[in-house]
Amino acid sequence: MTLVASCPLLKIDSESRIPKYQQIVDSIIHSIEKGYLKVGDKLPSINDISEEYYLSRDTVVRAYNQLREKQIITSVVSKGFYVNKTVNTTNSKVLFVLNKLSNYKLTIYNTFVNSMGSDHQVDLRIYHCDPKLLVNILEENAGAYDHFVVMPHFKDENSLHTSCDEEVISCLKNIPKEKLVIMDNHIPEMGDDVACIYQDFKMDIYRALEESKDRLKKYEKLILVFPDNNIYPYPNDIKQGFLNFCNTHKFDGEVLDKIYPEMELQPRDAYILIDENDLVSLVQQTRDLRLQIGTDIGVVSYNDTPLKELFDITVFSTDFELMGESAAYMIKKDKQEVVPNIFSFIDRGSL
């Protein structure tokens, strides 16, 4: 049951799990935002609200104290409480620019938004790995935001992945350094005094393979399935890190662009898969051939998901939630640091 006072300024829902003092705070802020309350207007007394909504005086006092701490209302001895200022609940506006939409990118974005909190407005834009579109987005919004979070993944004229585009770098350098955060991919040309939380794609997979080397020794061949994606190309550094590992540690390595129908699957082959469709196809083919994953065929998937955890798939993965949290921390604490994100080998028995 929702109890509403004769005065429309407050709305208290007795069935809601939101604390009553917080409902009072939110109602008054909302009334100020909508213009129902203006600077200098007198608020209902503590006793009036307490009696009208069947609330304890302590609850109302707590709400009014919180509003006073934020300097939204003020109290005058023997007279009551008054609106002290107009309200802008958004401390800052952030433009969060992704190269593509995917479950992993959205995990970063959602974690970032939650970490920033309700005091910050975060708007999302997608540029589909097109550097010219990214430049347009940044230039159009140059004066509209307090901070910019950018993931620099592009495709060149050959539809190959690149993180370096002269026009983009020039545009990014026009943004004040304290307002910019680079995420997921490091751009050395931006220097070390621009906030950056990134994946080191070449060394991340190399180190993960080294960590899993003892398990890999039982396999005769390592196969990286590196998709040829013309729309959203993957960083070539992943492939290079894999090949470097195979050369250094004398593994027989091969790179395929996908899992084909009716693959020539051989026992004692280990597969590292980036695309989830390739993972599904490989698992299905191993079942059809009655090959045991983790014994006959090794399987490692790139980037963790709840489903991979559920089905006990070993992964090489960055911590996407940590990346979002770190970017938010850098903005809120005004940090300009270049930090590699945590990348882990998570063994679940499929290798």
Side-chain angles (χ1 to χ4, degrees):
M1 175 181 172
T2 299
L3 302 176
V4 183
S6 54
C7 175
L9 302 178
L10 300 182
K11 185 174 182 180
I12 306 299
D13 185 348
S14 60
E15 299 298 325
S16 173
R17 299 302 183 265
I18 298 174
K20 301 301 185 295
Y21 77 88
Q22 188 63 51
Q23 292 190 50
I24 297 172
V25 170
D26 293 343
S27 291
I28 290 176
I29 289 176
H30 176 76
S31 293
I32 297 172
E33 286 180 325
K34 293 299 182 181
Y36 305 140
L37 282 172
K38 302 183 184 303
V39 174
D41 284 352
K42 186 176 182 180
L43 296 170
S45 70
I46 292 173
N47 286 336
D48 286 344
I49 294 177
S50 176
E51 292 173 5
E52 183 74 28
Y53 293 95
Y54 308 101
L55 299 173
S56 71
R57 292 188 81 262
D58 288 344
T59 296
V60 186
V61 168
R62 184 175 182 181
Y64 273 20
N65 283 342
Q66 189 173 116
L67 290 164
R68 283 201 301 177
E69 287 172 6
K70 295 180 178 181
Q71 299 182 345
I72 293 172
I73 69 172
T74 187
S75 60
V76 178
V77 177
S78 301
K79 291 188 176 181
F81 297 89
Y82 297 82
V83 177
N84 189 43
K85 66 177 183 180
T86 57
V87 176
N88 178 7
T89 57
T90 301
N91 289 338
S92 70
K93 293 178 64 180
V94 181
L95 184 62
F96 197 100
V97 192
L98 289 172
N99 64 302
K100 66 176 181 179
L101 279 179
S102 70
N103 289 333
Y104 311 115
K105 306 285 183 175
L106 288 176
T107 295
I108 297 172
Y109 171 73
N110 289 330
T111 305
F112 176 83
V113 171
N114 290 334
S115 298
M116 291 298 293
S118 59
D119 289 344
H120 302 265
Q121 176 184 327
V122 183
D123 294 335
L124 177 64
R125 296 290 298 274
I126 314 296
Y127 67 94
H128 305 290
C129 293
D130 182 343
K132 293 188 181 300
L133 180 54
L134 174 59
V135 169
N136 289 340
I137 290 171
L138 294 177
E139 288 181 347
E140 288 173 1
N141 294 280
Y145 290 88
D146 301 292
H147 293 92
F148 298 83
V149 181
V150 181
M151 287 192 183
H153 292 284
F154 314 112
K155 55 185 176 184
D156 61 18
E157 62 276 6
N158 299 314
S159 294
L160 298 176
H161 178 275
T162 178
S163 58
C164 182
D165 180 273
E166 291 185 4
E167 191 176 0
V168 170
I169 291 173
S170 177
C171 183
L172 290 174
K173 286 184 175 180
N174 287 331
I175 301 173
K177 293 180 179 180
E178 68 274 9
K179 291 187 174 185
L180 179 62
V181 178
I182 303 294
M183 288 192 68
D184 201 42
N185 201 10
H186 186 214
I187 304 179
E189 291 84 353
M190 293 301 298
D192 294 330
D193 52 353
V194 171
C196 179
I197 174 74
Y198 68 98
Q199 296 188 66
D200 186 342
F201 295 99
K202 184 187 297 184
M203 291 309 301
D204 283 345
I205 191 170
Y206 186 94
R207 295 188 186 106
L209 286 165
E210 281 200 322
E211 188 177 348
S212 58
K213 186 172 63 174
D214 289 343
R215 294 166 180 80
L216 292 171
K217 286 179 179 177
K218 67 181 180 181
Y219 297 102
E220 294 180 353
K221 189 166 190 173
L222 305 185
I223 301 162
L224 173 68
V225 184
F226 188 83
D228 184 12
N229 191 324
N230 292 328
I231 301 175
Y232 301 120
Y234 291 95
N236 197 60
D237 280 351
I238 296 173
K239 184 195 301 183
Q240 193 58 55
F242 169 79
L243 294 174
N244 289 350
F245 172 82
C246 291
N247 291 334
T248 300
H249 297 282
K250 310 305 180 186
F251 279 91
D252 181 12
E254 182 179 4
V255 178
L256 304 179
D257 62 341
K258 65 179 180 179
I259 294 294
Y260 293 87
E262 300 180 5
M263 287 279 292
E264 297 288 338
L265 298 181
Q266 298 292 328
R268 302 184 70 186
D269 284 350
Y271 287 82
I272 301 157
L273 306 117
I274 295 177
D275 188 90
E276 292 191 4
N277 290 326
D278 287 322
L279 173 63
V280 172
S281 180
L282 179 64
V283 170
Q284 185 61 58
Q285 291 187 50
T286 59
R287 290 178 178 176
D288 293 342
L289 295 171
R290 297 186 179 180
L291 294 171
Q292 186 69 35
I293 292 178
T295 302
D296 303 316
I297 297 286
V299 174
V300 181
S301 186
Y302 206 84
N303 293 331
D304 200 13
T305 65
L307 275 177
K308 292 173 188 177
E309 182 178 5
L310 179 64
F311 290 104
D312 295 324
I313 300 296
T314 296
V315 295
F316 297 158
S317 184
T318 198
D319 188 330
F320 295 103
E321 292 185 354
L322 177 61
M323 187 178 291
E325 291 170 357
S326 297
Y329 174 82
M330 288 180 177
I331 289 177
K332 295 172 81 171
K333 297 298 183 181
D334 195 25
K335 299 283 187 181
Q336 283 83 51
E337 301 173 350
V338 178
V339 181
N341 202 46
I342 290 177
F343 192 88
S344 303
F345 164 54
I346 304 174
D347 184 13
R348 298 190 178 119
S350 67
L351 185 60

